[in-house]
């Protein structure tokens, strides 16, 4: 294992310190317990958006704190849920009277700890559970995982909160975005968790892992490596089966890298995926390509398709200023 680190048990805190220093104009680091918060909050009464999860997925969620998106993000240790005291402290710090909306990826630890924080929070709050990963059957007892579609939910709901939508409206909007979003991922290599010191699984030179999540776990099947066109077709087919996009629908197409795949390859996947849906009459009206919901140093990518109504499109285009996303301001 080759990593830039001093010690595995100080990597997160040292990284958070560097992140806060690099983006001190828009965010601040609170500790302990650790959370990233927006430096210039909106006026009193705005719904406060809080998300979080295990580290190793950067820039999700810390890189999405700022105007038009999250008010705070709670980073856990690598691939480990943040603790309820982090979530509670973040909520108390950023709540200005409009209530708190927790945006939670559907993983058992995240769900449990956010539920505890919500029960302890002495102010109005609600939760949006993101479960966009179509690699997992809907019938599975724990439900589908939340993956790259989480960013889409956070951006659209964040814009609505910025414009004054109340807590109930933000929750309903988040659930609508989630229901219209589907993601599917594929890995060409595993990732290496620093504390573990070796890849969490191994693949042969001519193998790929279809249907992976974002925690270095195995996917739904190990398959022979094939062409980019064939891989894209497989990913898109699973999304089509779930969303069933209709001709003339308008959509956002997000190609997300897992950390170690060059942009050259991600844009190739974008071109192939866009062609796939355009041939079905789907209008790809917005795009996002890059490493946004990563899995440390995993090679691979996911495709996310979100079917947009006019309100969702308007809110996606609304101004945003975070470490990772910035437009309109």
């Amino acid at each position: 294992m080759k990593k830039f680190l001093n010690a595995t048990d100080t990597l997160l805190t040292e990284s958070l310190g560097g992140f806060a220093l690099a983006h001190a104009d828009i965010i601040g680091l609170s500790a302990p317990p650790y959370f990233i918060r927006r430096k210039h909050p909106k006026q009193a009464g705005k719904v406060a958006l809080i998300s979080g999860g295990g580290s190793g997925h950067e820039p999700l969620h810390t890189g999405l704190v700022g105007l038009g998106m999250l008010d705070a993000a709670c980073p856990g240790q690598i691939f480990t849920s943040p603790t309820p005291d982090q979530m509670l402290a973040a909520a108390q710090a950023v709540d200005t009277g409009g209530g708190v909306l927790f945006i939670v990826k559907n993983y058992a630890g995240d769900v449990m700890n956010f539920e505890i924080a919500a029960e302890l929070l002495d102010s109005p709050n609600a939760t949006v559970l993101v479960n966009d990963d179509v690699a997992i059957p809907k019938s599975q007892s724990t439900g589908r995982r939340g993956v790259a579609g989480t960013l889409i939910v956070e951006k659209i709901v964040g814009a609505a909160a910025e414009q004054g939508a109340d807590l109930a409206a933000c929750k309903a909007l988040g659930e609508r975005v989630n229901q219209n979003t589907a993601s599917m991922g594929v890995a060409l290599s595993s990732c290496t968790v620093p504390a573990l010191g070796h890849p969490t699984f191994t693949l042969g030179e001519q193998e790929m892992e279809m249907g992976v999540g974002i925690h270095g776990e195995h996917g739904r099947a190990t398959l022979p490596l094939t062409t980019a066109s064939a891989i894209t077709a497989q990913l898109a087919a699973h999304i089509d089966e779930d969303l069933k996009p209709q001709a003339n629908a308008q959509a956002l197409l997000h190609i997300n890298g897992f950390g170690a795949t060059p942009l050259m390859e991600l844009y190739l996947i974008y071109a192939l995926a866009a062609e796939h849906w355009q041939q079905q009459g789907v209008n790809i009206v917005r795009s996002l390509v890059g490493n946004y919901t990563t899995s440390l140093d995993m090679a691979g990518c996911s495709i996310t398709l979100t079917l947009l109504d006019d309100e969702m499109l308007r809110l996606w285009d609304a101004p945003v200023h975070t470490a990772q996303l910035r437009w309109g301001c």
Side-chain angles (χ1 to χ4, degrees), residues 92-105:
Q92 292 170 335
V94 301
D95 183 8
T96 62
V100 173
L101 183 66
F102 296 110
I103 299 177
V104 184
K105 302 189 302 300

Side-chain angles (χ1 to χ4, degrees), residues 30-42:
S30 296
Y34 288 99
F35 61 91
I36 297 291
R37 63 177 295 178
R38 183 172 163 176
K39 193 168 187 177
H40 305 290
K42 190 73 171 178

Side-chain angles (χ1 to χ4, degrees), residues 207-227:
E207 291 181 328
M208 62 181 182
E209 194 74 7
M210 182 62 64
V212 292
I214 55 173
H215 292 96
E217 68 270 53
H218 274 288
R220 60 191 295 168
T222 302
L223 302 175
L225 182 63
T226 183
T227 64

Side-chain angles (χ1 to χ4, degrees), residues 204-314:
E205 286 296 315
Q206 296 301 315
E207 291 181 328
M208 62 181 182
E209 194 74 7
M210 182 62 64
V212 292
I214 55 173
H215 292 96
E217 68 270 53
H218 274 288
R220 60 191 295 168
T222 302
L223 302 175
L225 182 63
T226 183
T227 64
S229 294
I231 292 170
T232 303
Q234 290 184 57
L235 298 173
H238 289 289
I239 293 172
D240 285 339
E241 183 180 355
D242 186 84
L243 282 186
K244 298 179 173 58
Q246 302 299 306
N248 298 317
Q250 54 187 8
L252 163 67
L253 176 57
H254 174 29
I255 308 301
N256 173 64
F258 288 146
T261 298
L263 278 171
M264 175 182 288
E265 296 173 33
L266 297 180
Y267 278 111
L268 168 60
I269 299 296
Y270 178 84
L272 295 167
E275 180 182 18
H276 169 88
W277 277 298
Q278 287 166 351
Q279 288 177 349
Q280 297 183 22
V282 175
N283 298 315
I284 304 298
V285 295
R286 295 295 183 271
S287 61
L288 186 67
V289 181
N291 292 292
Y292 291 95
T293 303
T294 61
S295 183
L296 292 171
D297 55 350
M298 178 182 282
C301 72
S302 59
I303 297 177
T304 298
L305 190 74
T306 300
L307 301 179
L308 300 170
D309 57 33
D310 290 341
E311 180 188 22
M312 291 159 60
L313 178 58
R314 175 180 61 81

Side-chain angles (χ1 to χ4, degrees), residues 21-253:
L21 184 63
H23 303 288
D25 57 326
I26 58 171
I27 61 94
L29 172 63
S30 296
Y34 288 99
F35 61 91
I36 297 291
R37 63 177 295 178
R38 183 172 163 176
K39 193 168 187 177
H40 305 290
K42 190 73 171 178
Q43 72 279 357
K46 174 192 173 296
V47 173
L49 266 62
I50 298 176
S51 192
S55 297
H57 306 308
E58 290 78 12
L60 196 81
H61 298 272
T62 52
L64 304 176
V65 174
L67 184 147
M69 288 195 76
L70 298 175
D71 292 275
C74 303
Q77 291 293 327
I78 292 175
F79 297 168
T80 302
S81 173
T83 58
D85 65 317
Q86 288 177 271
M87 302 162 188
L88 182 61
Q92 292 170 335
V94 301
D95 183 8
T96 62
V100 173
L101 183 66
F102 296 110
I103 299 177
V104 184
K105 302 189 302 300
N106 188 30
Y107 292 92
D110 289 5
V111 172
M112 178 181 67
N113 288 351
F114 271 103
E115 283 180 351
I116 293 172
E119 291 171 359
L120 294 173
L121 183 61
D122 189 23
S123 62
N125 63 85
T127 297
V128 172
L129 191 65
V130 182
N131 57 356
D132 56 306
D133 186 5
V134 299
I136 303 295
K138 287 182 177 179
S139 58
Q140 180 166 305
S141 59
T142 56
R144 289 177 165 174
R145 302 171 292 204
V147 287
T150 310
L151 177 149
I152 313 300
V153 174
E154 291 174 353
K155 171 61 185 80
I156 292 175
V157 179
E162 199 76 36
Q163 295 173 14
D166 64 19
L167 183 59
C170 287
K171 175 178 171 63
L173 175 63
E175 291 174 343
R176 189 165 92 243
V177 176
N178 179 62
Q179 290 166 1
N180 284 278
T181 299
S183 302
M184 183 74 176
V186 62
L188 305 183
S189 74
S190 176
C191 61
T192 299
V193 177
L196 185 63
H198 57 78
T200 55
F201 64 85
T202 58
L203 289 173
E205 286 296 315
Q206 296 301 315
E207 291 181 328
M208 62 181 182
E209 194 74 7
M210 182 62 64
V212 292
I214 55 173
H215 292 96
E217 68 270 53
H218 274 288
R220 60 191 295 168
T222 302
L223 302 175
L225 182 63
T226 183
T227 64
S229 294
I231 292 170
T232 303
Q234 290 184 57
L235 298 173
H238 289 289
I239 293 172
D240 285 339
E241 183 180 355
D242 186 84
L243 282 186
K244 298 179 173 58
Q246 302 299 306
N248 298 317
Q250 54 187 8
L252 163 67
L253 176 57

